[in-house]
Structures are given as structure tokens and as C-alpha cells.
Amino acid sequence: MTDPHSIVSQIGDLAQNGERMIERLRKRAFLPESRKGLNVRFGIAEAAQLLDCSTNRIRMAEEDGRLPPPPAGENGRRLGYTVEELLNMREVLGASPRRAENDVPAMIAVQNFKGGVGKSTVTTHLAHYFAVQGYRVLVVDCDSQATTTTLFGFNPHFNITREETLYPYLSIDPTQADLLYAVMRTPWPNVDLIPSNLELFDVEYELAAAGADGESVLAARFRKLKQGLNDLARNYDVVILDPPPALGTISLAVMQAANALLVPLAATTPDFCSTVQFLSMMDQVLQQLIEAGVQVDYSFVRLICSKFDPGDPSHDMVRAIMEQSFGPALLPVHILESAEISHAAMRMMTVYELEKPIGTARTHKRCKANLDEAMGQIEQLVRNGWGRVENVDEELVVNG
């Protein structure tokens, strides 16, 4: 008979070995400083496109001193603009997309109970897309697996303590009265992060052990998370929430705190079936929350197909099934399966952080164009919520 202690020890060894390897990969990815940086730059044509102005307008602002010109390399060529410089250009040229003071910040939960659908990948790419477009973004990692935290360059095991997660705010015996303590700067000047690690799962244990008083404690935690996030959201345009892929206390609190829901799903039959189950469970849970007096209100609920391979007939078949089932709730532009996304993830990055293509220039350009179009659908939904519909075509795309 196998000694159970030896099995536990073996699993512990595997976990430790894996954590050490993650740290080695992180250091290799972020050499020489072993800390993630943001070195991506934008040429003047791309900057003009992002600001929706002419290149001539940017050059004129540089010539009259309103904008500093970008530095030149050793060959004398302009190196391009950093994200920080783009943000300054938006302010100087009046091209900021920020919400008005009376606009409600978008609080988007990216959720599906099925693993492997690219939930954290969608979360991070969406955050970086909004950042490039000039919005102020807060990402809240509510998942104890902490994949999103890792993609932002932090090792949850070595770099993040329990006191830096949501735990001190949501625990049975809270030590924090608001969430300001948990907000971390990221390499992106307009993206902040509330990180996570495995110890956040202790909240689930504590609330499960609350006994007869559990329901009142649970309702209090729902209200508390929503209030804490609403207080923080005053300083942001978009808050993106990455909840655990399971129907637990934290997931329910996140779903109640959000004011929009984005459901990623892959183009496979198991993913479709799992997503239908997720929607059915969400329907039942939200009905119970409403009956219990817990307010739930979403400005939009949309599904987005991720990891879509247009060359795979089975993907086309499942996509057709999705379109018949979900109608206009399924966003028309899918996130295509791309080696560029996978290669960037190996470096703990998104495609928006790459200084140059990892694969071919054509593959990178196609991937980024697809991501821009897919994420742009969500941006337009957010702007619709603020009463800003740019043109008829975009409205038709969003509303099917």
C-alpha cells in the first residue's frame, strides 16, 4: 500500500519544482532587470490612426513646441512614440477617449466556468487594447490560479503576498476598509492591477465555514466587493474583472459587482455545451440573487468566440451552431487562433507588448489586426453605454 505521506510529499515537490521553473522563465523573459518592462513604440502613421488625426497635425504640434518629437536612433531615424507619449499626445491634441464625469465606468466580468477558453488571455489583451486606445484601465484578478497576474509579469508565488490580494478586504476578519491598498502599477502607464495568488482561495473556505450565519455574511461580502470596486472605479474608465472559472463565493460576488458580462468560448462542441450549462446556471443564480434583494444589472451581455481556426471545418460548424443559438449576443468578429498569441504568452506578454513580430511579419500583422477588430467591438459596446455611437456601421455590428 502506498504511503499517503509520500504521495503528498511528491505532489509538494512537483509544485515547488514547477514554481522554480516559472521563476526561471520569468527571469529569462524579463532580462536584464528580471522585471517586466514596456518597450513597444508606435510610428507616426500608427499614432495618427490611433488619435484619429493626420500625421501633419502631429508634426505641426512638434514644430510649434506643444509636443516633444520622439528620440532618434543611432541611424538618425525616429524611434517612434511610447504609450506614455501617446497619452500625452491625446491630452495636448484633445483626443482622449475618457468617459465624461457623469458616465458610469464600465465594469466588465470576463467569465466562463469552462477552463481552456482563453479567459485570462482575453482579459489581458482587452486591457492592453483599451490602454493603447487611451483609456484608464484597472484589472482585478479574482482567480486564485492567478494567470492574469502572471501575464502582467508578477510571479504569484514569489512576488505577491496574501496581503496584496483581495483577501484582506473580503476575509471574515478584514484588515482593510477599502481596496486602495491592493492597487499595483504595471509597466503600462494607464493600466493598474489588483493581483491574486493561491491564498485568495482561503476566502472560499472561510465563508463556507461561516455556519448558520453564512448567508448574511455572504450577502455582506457581495455588497462589500461591489462598493469597493465602485469606489476605485471613479479613477478609471474601464475595470476588467477576471473571476475564478467556478461557481463559488468570489465568482458570485464578481458577477454581482460587474455591470457588463463577456463570455469567451472556443469553437468546439464541449465548449459550446459547457457554455450553455454556464448560462443556465448563471440564469438560476441571478434569479436567486434578485429574489434575495441583491441588485444585478448589466449594460451588455456578449459572447466572443476565441481560438477560432477558419481552416478547421469543425470550427465552422460549431460557429454556425453558436450563431443560431445566441444570435446577436455572439459578437461577429472572432479571436483567431494564432501562433503569435501563443508565442507572446510564452514570454508572459500579450501581442500588444511585442516590440517586433515573433513569427513572420505577416502573421503578426494579421493577428494584431484581428485582435484590434475583436476588442474594438467591446470598446464600442462600452462607448454605447456612455451614449457615444460613432457611426451606423459600428452600431449595426454591435447590435447584430
Side-chain angles (χ1 to χ4, degrees), residues 286-299:
L286 292 177
Q287 289 290 348
Q288 291 172 0
L289 290 175
I290 292 169
E291 290 171 7
V294 178
Q295 186 179 359
V296 179
D297 185 21
Y298 295 149
S299 61

Side-chain angles (χ1 to χ4, degrees), residues 12-310:
D13 290 342
L14 292 172
Q16 289 178 14
N17 291 342
E19 289 288 355
R20 282 194 289 267
M21 180 54 70
I22 289 174
E23 187 63 11
R24 287 173 61 187
L25 289 171
R26 191 181 73 88
K27 288 182 177 180
R28 180 179 296 179
F30 306 145
L31 284 175
E33 299 173 356
S34 296
R35 182 64 184 259
K36 188 171 185 176
L38 184 64
N39 301 313
V40 64
R41 288 181 177 270
F42 302 85
I44 191 168
E46 192 173 5
Q49 184 179 14
L50 286 168
L51 272 65
D52 195 22
C53 69
S54 66
T55 56
N56 188 49
R57 188 180 178 200
I58 295 174
R59 292 187 190 280
M60 286 176 63
E62 291 174 352
E63 289 172 3
D64 63 25
R66 285 179 294 149
L67 287 175
E74 293 180 0
N75 58 3
R77 295 182 60 183
R78 293 156 62 111
L79 294 176
Y81 305 95
T82 64
V83 172
E84 199 157 17
E85 288 165 341
L86 277 182
L87 293 173
N88 180 54
M89 290 168 69
R90 289 184 181 278
E91 294 297 327
V92 170
L93 300 178
S96 174
R98 289 183 181 182
R99 62 182 177 85
E101 193 65 35
N102 59 341
D103 291 331
V104 177
M107 204 169 301
I108 307 169
V110 182
Q111 176 64 303
N112 195 328
F113 294 162
K114 174 74 168 64
V117 297
K119 184 167 65 71
S120 296
T121 302
V122 170
T123 297
T124 47
H125 277 88
L126 185 60
H128 293 166
Y129 168 83
F130 273 115
V132 170
Q133 302 303 316
Y135 297 88
R136 300 165 299 172
V137 183
L138 173 67
V139 178
V140 186
D141 193 352
C142 313
D143 185 356
S144 57
Q145 295 180 58
T147 305
T148 293
T149 298
T150 303
L151 287 171
F152 269 96
F154 302 97
N155 186 316
H157 185 75
F158 291 102
N159 304 138
I160 306 299
T161 67
R162 182 164 72 173
E163 286 65 37
E164 295 172 302
T165 72
L166 291 172
Y167 178 84
Y169 183 74
L170 291 179
S171 67
I172 290 291
D173 298 310
T175 57
Q176 296 287 351
D178 59 50
L179 286 170
L180 282 171
Y181 74 93
V183 177
M184 285 187 169
R185 299 295 302 273
T186 74
W188 292 77
N190 54 337
V191 181
D192 291 336
L193 171 72
I194 294 182
S196 179
N197 70 6
L198 192 59
E199 292 178 285
L200 179 59
F201 194 74
D202 289 350
V203 171
E204 305 279 1
Y205 284 122
E206 290 181 6
L207 292 173
D213 207 30
E215 287 191 16
S216 61
V217 172
L218 200 62
R221 288 302 170 275
F222 285 0
R223 289 191 295 270
K224 188 175 184 182
L225 181 61
K226 184 170 186 175
Q227 183 58 56
L229 290 173
N230 282 340
D231 289 343
L232 279 184
R234 296 169 186 165
N235 299 318
Y236 300 95
D237 305 302
V238 181
V239 179
I240 305 174
L241 309 170
D242 185 6
L247 189 60
T249 302
I250 295 177
S251 284
L252 290 175
V254 168
M255 301 309 292
Q256 193 265 334
N259 58 27
L261 176 61
L262 181 66
V263 183
L265 72 161
T268 69
T269 303
D271 281 288
F272 171 76
C273 295
S274 175
T275 300
V276 171
Q277 290 295 316
F278 161 68
L279 294 171
S280 178
M281 291 174 69
M282 280 299 303
D283 175 50
Q284 296 174 35
V285 169
L286 292 177
Q287 289 290 348
Q288 291 172 0
L289 290 175
I290 292 169
E291 290 171 7
V294 178
Q295 186 179 359
V296 179
D297 185 21
Y298 295 149
S299 61
F300 65 83
V301 175
R302 292 292 188 276
L303 298 93
I304 186 165
C305 182
S306 60
K307 302 183 177 182
F308 181 74
D309 182 356

Side-chain angles (χ1 to χ4, degrees), residues 302-330:
R302 292 292 188 276
L303 298 93
I304 186 165
C305 182
S306 60
K307 302 183 177 182
F308 181 74
D309 182 356
D312 188 331
S314 69
H315 282 212
D316 272 329
M317 182 187 71
V318 176
R319 181 188 63 175
I321 292 171
M322 290 178 188
E323 290 171 348
Q324 291 176 32
S325 304
F326 303 135
L330 178 69

